[in-house]
Amino acid sequence: MSVELNHTIVAAHDKKASAQFLADILGLEVSPEFGPFVPVEITNGVTLDYAETSEPITPQHYAFLVSEADFDEIFARIRAAGLTYWADPYHRRSMEINTRDDGRGAYFDAPNGHRLEILTRPYGSGS
């Protein structure tokens, strides 16, 4: 059996600005609008399809596994944008990164309150 995540819908108050924020931080491109969605394709083919809503948004968590070199580039963009970042998902250790599993990780918030994470090692993969 082969099961792969293909896409997920991300609620946003401004779908174009939200998609552009993610693309800019991760160094990706915003894809052309598809129906009511503004997709951002991740390098493994999964798309985050931004959909506009005027309703309150329940924050979701989106974690992106990246290489060490990509972490450096993305983290530099996070800092250049003046974003607050945390070493933990509970936002207790601000302006720090973590070194779990012999890698590096950081959490930051998207404009609609979604919790974003970059990490260089999958959970449980370190020594």
Side-chain angles (χ1 to χ4, degrees):
M1 177 184 299
S2 175
V3 179
E4 297 179 4
L5 180 64
N6 178 264
H7 68 277
T8 190
I9 297 172
V10 181
H13 292 301
D14 182 334
K15 63 185 179 183
K16 290 180 182 178
S18 296
Q20 193 64 60
F21 171 83
L22 181 70
D24 288 347
I25 291 293
L26 296 182
L28 301 170
E29 297 291 325
V30 174
S31 299
E33 270 189 75
F34 181 76
F37 306 110
V38 177
V40 176
E41 185 173 350
I42 308 305
T43 53
N44 63 350
V46 174
T47 60
L48 279 75
D49 296 341
Y50 283 84
E52 204 149 307
T53 182
S54 59
E55 299 295 319
I57 294 173
T58 300
Q60 299 295 313
H61 175 76
Y62 300 97
F64 302 96
L65 183 63
V66 300
S67 70
E68 290 287 340
D70 288 337
F71 185 95
D72 290 338
E73 292 177 16
I74 295 166
F75 189 61
R77 288 191 286 272
I78 290 168
R79 292 177 52 200
L83 299 175
T84 301
Y85 55 90
W86 296 267
D88 66 303
Y90 305 106
H91 292 177
R92 293 185 184 132
R93 295 174 46 206
S94 69
M95 308 315 272
E96 295 180 41
I97 65 169
N98 68 63
T99 55
R100 284 193 290 270
D101 294 302
D102 299 322
R104 294 182 292 163
Y107 298 81
F108 58 102
D109 291 346
N112 292 290
H114 296 299
R115 309 288 168 100
L116 307 179
E117 176 185 6
I118 54 172
L119 66 160
T120 62
R121 297 285 305 264
Y123 294 139
S125 66
S127 54

